[in-house]
Amino acid sequence: MSNDRSDSSARASEPSEPSPSPALAALPALFAEESRVRAFAAVALGAGDAARVARVAGLSAKETAGALRRLRDQGVVASGADGRLVVAHERFRELARAGRPAPAAARDLAAEGDDGPAGIVVRTFVRNGRLVRLPARWTRKKVVLRYIAEQTFAPGVEYPERTVDERLRAWCEDGEVDHVTLRRHLVDLGHLRRSVGVYVRPAGSARAGTA
């Protein structure tokens, strides 16, 4: 009996997996219907009105109207400035951002109960695994940069510049700092060492306090 209670408590304390946004979860069902897939493909190929979509997709007028209505409702097809049907690429970018996980191993220090000076600084400038902005004070900036380096790169592992940029872009999504600036700061502080396009995080990078 007590073991059951212990197991239940342990499961309750485990963090739950983030659920996808409703719009993102609806995409598979949206494209599960063949007529919608064919209509969407026709628009992507340049069919700018319902009649052309019907011809290109090989659909009846009724099928085309129903498919386009659902595609518009989900925001993946829209009318351009000239009134022609177009794929709403920005909508897909929004859905991609919504479905993108936080950077690997990035955690909110508040969940860990770290109320020390470093934890307070990180919680202020890092939200949901994203860097909101860098602190103006240099000592605090070093704390945030060290945290990002430790959460993003394993010591001693070689990372090509492309991989470094991909990982740092995840931190910079919708923030005020671009990944190139972030990478430069990490190199300047010694959290990353660069050699012929390859980056390595040293095994013992300096730990900075707050002031």
Side-chain angles (χ1 to χ4, degrees), residues 22-105:
L24 188 60
L27 273 187
L30 176 66
F31 289 109
E33 171 59 51
E34 183 182 355
S35 63
R36 295 172 206 148
V37 175
R38 291 165 67 176
F40 180 83
V43 174
L45 290 171
D49 56 46
R52 290 187 178 88
V53 169
R55 285 200 301 272
V56 172
L59 299 173
S60 68
K62 183 178 180 180
E63 289 174 324
T64 301
L68 290 176
R69 182 174 63 254
R70 287 296 302 276
L71 293 170
R72 285 177 176 275
D73 288 345
Q74 291 297 322
V76 297
V77 166
S79 295
D82 57 358
R84 290 172 55 82
L85 294 171
V86 294
V87 171
H89 295 288
E90 182 56 37
R91 177 60 170 164
F92 283 100
R93 283 191 283 268
E94 290 173 3
L95 293 173
R97 286 194 292 267
R100 187 179 301 161

Side-chain angles (χ1 to χ4, degrees), residues 169-210:
R169 279 194 190 96
W171 286 99
C172 299
E173 188 71 51
D174 298 325
E176 298 180 2
V177 183
D178 62 85
H179 71 281
V180 175
T181 299
L182 186 54
R183 186 185 68 205
R184 184 174 65 248
H185 281 314
L186 293 175
V187 171
D188 289 346
L189 284 175
H191 293 306
L192 289 177
R193 290 177 181 168
R194 177 177 55 204
S195 177
V196 196
V198 174
Y199 294 74
V200 177
R201 180 184 153 218
S205 55
R207 302 185 68 84
T210 60

Side-chain angles (χ1 to χ4, degrees), residues 102-177:
R107 298 184 296 256
D108 184 353
L109 290 188
E112 298 175 0
D114 185 349
D115 290 322
I120 293 172
V121 170
V122 172
R123 288 198 302 276
T124 301
F125 297 96
V126 176
R127 307 279 176 81
N128 299 319
R130 302 288 186 265
L131 176 63
V132 179
R133 66 184 186 281
L134 282 173
R137 292 177 63 174
W138 183 239
T139 51
R140 295 180 179 180
K141 185 180 295 185
K142 289 192 290 186
V143 169
V144 173
L145 291 168
R146 187 193 71 236
Y147 174 79
I148 290 175
E150 291 176 349
Q151 298 298 327
T152 310
F153 305 105
V157 176
E158 294 186 345
Y159 298 93
E161 185 167 283
R162 180 177 60 186
T163 300
V164 172
D165 286 348
E166 286 176 356
R167 296 191 175 199
L168 295 182
R169 279 194 190 96
W171 286 99
C172 299
E173 188 71 51
D174 298 325
E176 298 180 2
V177 183

